[in-house]
Amino acid sequence: MAKIGFIGTGIMGLPMAQNLQKAGHSLFVSSHHDAAPAALVEAGAVVLANPKEVAQEAEFIIVMVPDTPHVEEVLFRDSGIAEGVGPNKLVIDMSSISPSATKQFAEKIKATGADYLDAPVSGGEVGAKAATLSIMVGGSEESFARALPLFQVMGKNITLVGGNGDGQTAKVANQVIVALNIQAVAEALLFAAKNGADPARVREALMGGFAGSKILEVHGERMIKGTFDPGFRISLHQKDLNLALAGARELGLNLPNTANAQQVFSTCAAIGGSGWDHSALIKGLEHMANFSIRKE
C-alpha cells in the first residue's frame, strides 16, 4: 500500500481521498489552510502542518485545489511541496488549471529530482464519490504506470493523453463540450416550456432519441426540478472556460459558442449564482427571457 499526501479535500477532493483510504493506502494531509476533515482523520489520516511536511512523508503527493494560483501556492510557497520532494517522489496535480502553467510547474518539480503528472478529472461530485471519474493524464509513461493503481481507485476511464500539459488540455476541451451541451439542453427546455409544452415530458421524449445525453439526463432533470446545489459550481466552470478562451487567443482561434456560454454563466453570476451548480446556466437564460420553466 502506498503513502499518499493529499492536498485539497473539498467537494471533489474529500471523496477521492476517502476512496484511497478505503483501498488501504496511508494518507497524509495538511492543516495549513483549513482543519483536516474529521472523516479522514477518524479513518487514520495523519495531519501535518504544511505541504512540505506532507511531501516529505509521502511517496505520491496529490493536489486537488480550485485554480492555477492555488496549485502554484501549494507547490512553491514557503513550506510548499517543492521543498519536500526529491528522487522517487511523484507529484500528481488533479486540479483543472492552465495547460501552459502546468508545463512550467512540471519542469520546476522535475528539477528537484521528483516527477510530475497532470491528471485532471471529470465526473463531478457524483463521480468522485462513486470512484467513476474520467482521468486525463499528462506525463511520462513510467510515471503513469506507477500512478495507475491509484487512479483506478478513483476513476474508471483513465487515459494517458501525452506529455505534461496534455492532460490539462484534454480537460479544457472536456469543459467546452460540457458547457455547450448544458446550454443546448437549457435552450431546448426553455423553448419547449415557453411554447406551452411540459419540459419534463419533452425531456423524457428526447432521452430516447439522438438528442439523448448524460447532460440531458442529469442536468436536464436538475433544470426542471430547480435543484442547483453544487455539484460543480458555475464559478469553477467560468474558470475553465476562461482557460479555453485564453488558450484560443494564444493559438489564434475563435471559439464563438464557448464565448457565448461564458456570457450566460456571467449572467448567472451577476444575479447571485456563482455558487450554483453549472446546470443553473438555465437561470441566466430564464433571466434574459423573463420566463421560468418552473413557473417561478
Side-chain angles (χ1 to χ4, degrees):
M1 293 293 101
K3 298 171 70 175
I4 302 169
F6 206 107
I7 307 294
T9 50
I11 290 175
M12 295 284 290
L14 177 57
M16 292 164 66
Q18 287 177 311
N19 286 331
L20 290 167
Q21 274 191 320
K22 290 173 186 174
H25 299 293
S26 299
L27 213 64
F28 300 85
V29 295
S30 172
S31 61
H32 73 283
H33 189 273
D34 293 313
L40 296 180
V41 178
E42 290 167 4
V46 177
V47 182
L48 298 169
N50 53 56
K52 174 184 176 180
E53 293 185 7
V54 169
Q56 288 172 329
E57 292 295 330
E59 174 188 3
F60 300 91
I61 304 93
I62 294 174
V63 178
M64 187 62 180
V65 295
D67 203 350
T68 306
H70 305 110
V71 175
E72 184 173 24
E73 180 183 4
V74 299
L75 289 177
F76 304 117
R77 58 168 279 174
D78 290 341
S79 299
I81 288 168
E83 295 182 9
V85 293
N88 301 317
K89 306 273 188 176
L90 177 57
V91 176
I92 307 171
D93 179 27
M94 304 190 76
S95 319
S96 295
I97 68 166
S98 163
S100 57
T102 291
K103 293 175 184 178
Q104 297 171 17
F105 297 166
E107 289 305 311
K108 291 174 72 173
I109 291 296
K110 289 177 179 178
T112 71
D115 207 352
Y116 192 97
L117 295 174
D118 49 291
V121 303
S122 177
E125 183 183 12
V126 172
K129 288 180 176 178
T132 57
L133 294 167
S134 292
I135 306 176
M136 297 149 267
V137 188
S140 71
E141 291 186 4
E142 294 78 8
S143 289
F144 175 74
R146 186 177 165 195
L148 184 58
L150 306 187
F151 293 148
Q152 289 170 330
V153 171
M154 297 180 281
K156 295 296 183 187
N157 182 29
I158 304 159
T159 306
L160 178 61
V161 181
N164 286 130
D166 290 346
Q168 296 293 355
T169 296
K171 177 58 190 291
V172 172
N174 178 87
Q175 295 304 83
V176 169
I177 292 171
V178 170
L180 300 191
N181 273 274
I182 290 174
Q183 183 161 338
V185 169
E187 290 186 6
L189 295 180
L190 180 61
F191 169 79
K194 183 68 173 179
N195 215 28
D198 181 346
R201 293 195 176 188
V202 169
R203 171 183 166 275
E204 183 180 348
L206 297 180
M207 282 296 299
F210 203 51
S213 68
K214 199 70 175 177
I215 297 292
L216 180 63
E217 176 189 353
V218 177
H219 289 352
E221 183 178 34
R222 289 178 178 176
M223 293 173 191
I224 290 163
K225 292 183 176 179
T227 52
F228 298 127
D229 295 335
F232 188 76
R233 296 191 301 276
I234 281 174
S235 60
L236 290 177
H237 212 141
Q238 285 183 293
K239 177 261 297 183
D240 292 338
L241 294 190
N242 280 338
L243 294 175
L245 295 169
R249 284 193 297 272
E250 292 174 5
L251 297 168
L253 295 177
N254 182 19
L255 303 180
N257 293 319
T258 302
N260 182 261
Q262 183 73 305
Q263 289 300 313
V264 182
F265 277 138
S266 294
T267 299
C268 294
I271 59 176
S274 294
W276 296 337
D277 184 76
H278 56 172
S279 59
L281 177 144
I282 194 171
K283 289 177 72 70
L285 295 173
E286 290 172 330
H287 177 78
M288 290 184 281
N290 195 28
F291 177 83
S292 169
I293 70 169
R294 295 167 303 284
K295 298 181 172 60
E296 293 176 345

